Amino acid sequence: MYIAPSLLAADFSCFAQEVEKAATADYLHIDIMDGRFVPNLSMGPQVVEALRGKSRLVFDVHLMLEHPLPYVEVFRKAGADRITFHVECADNPAQVIEAILASGAKAGMAVKPATPAEALLPYGERLSQVTVMTVEPGFGGQSLIPEALKKIKAIKEAFSHLLVEIDGGVNRETLPLCREAGADVLVAGTAIFRAEDPAAEIAFLRGE
Ligand code: DX5
Ligand code: ZN
């Protein structure tokens, strides 16, 4: 199980110190919001670029953007290793995937809780990762929606090469559900950055 602390729950006044709390994890999950696709704003490529020199983790950039296409290259240049965008976005998903692959990043696609697994079928072959949202995207600290986990099985059956990431409401209590559902990557914001001992939390979620 790979662990991806979500920077959205970090202390925004000191990102450089906060990323040290995630040092024993696998990915750093970075949520990018445009105030249109989701009703919130978060951070931009400058933050990704500023942190690139401070962390050796895989930068897992989650684009919650209505129009991700013009930003693929921007985030790749800023230091993204994996770029995930939403199947529900307003751009042509196939085109966005090709732009991500052309940039040299690994491509991921995310699905909102109500979007069925079938929406991914035309694209799965070209992807490395699928992010199953277990909360409505836009905010950290929400409760996991268990029904959203059901689609993981169908995704894995259709594409055995894909890593499935679970994003939203992952913590010690919901960990068994996530494991059972077949998750490969766990995103956790609140559970890790608000913990007294983030390294212990990372180890616990990983099953150590
Ligand atoms: C929600 C974001 C999540 C969020 C998870 O739109 O995509 O990555 O930071 O936060 P927690 O772990 O607090 O639910
Ligand atoms: Zn996210």
Side-chain angles (χ1 to χ4, degrees), residues 48-208:
V48 178
E49 195 178 354
L51 293 179
R52 189 58 286 187
K54 312 259 178 213
S55 170
R56 298 173 63 178
L57 299 180
V58 169
F59 275 17
D60 182 37
V61 173
H62 177 191
L63 301 179
M64 282 160 273
L65 308 178
E66 198 168 272
H67 290 287
L69 189 57
Y71 296 100
V72 166
E73 196 56 43
V74 174
F75 280 98
R76 174 60 177 163
K77 285 217 174 86
D81 298 298
R82 296 175 169 265
I83 300 178
T84 293
F85 70 103
H86 274 263
V87 68
E88 306 90 353
C89 76
D91 290 337
N92 177 337
Q95 230 181 320
V96 180
I97 293 171
E98 293 317 310
I100 296 172
L101 295 176
S103 81
K106 293 242 162 79
M109 225 172 185
V111 282
K112 294 206 243 180
T115 303
E118 288 69 41
L120 297 163
L121 290 179
Y123 312 110
E125 216 59 66
R126 304 286 284 157
L127 304 172
S128 304
Q129 186 171 310
V130 159
T131 300
V132 171
M133 295 301 305
T134 39
V135 296
E136 282 304 327
F139 300 91
Q142 304 181 75
S143 301
L144 180 139
I145 302 166
E147 296 76 52
L149 295 170
K150 288 184 189 149
K151 70 186 95 166
I152 295 177
K153 199 166 165 265
I155 295 168
K156 293 225 147 198
E157 271 167 19
F159 305 104
S160 58
H161 73 283
L162 286 180
L163 289 177
V164 175
E165 176 174 85
I166 297 185
D167 186 7
V170 175
N171 55 39
R172 283 175 180 246
E173 286 70 46
T174 56
L175 178 64
L177 285 178
C178 300
R179 277 231 182 90
E180 215 174 287
D184 303 297
V185 185
L186 294 179
V187 175
T190 309
I192 292 172
F193 281 106
R194 306 289 165 90
E196 217 154 282
D197 184 350
E201 217 55 33
I202 290 165
F204 187 93
L205 293 175
R206 203 187 261 134
E208 288 166 0

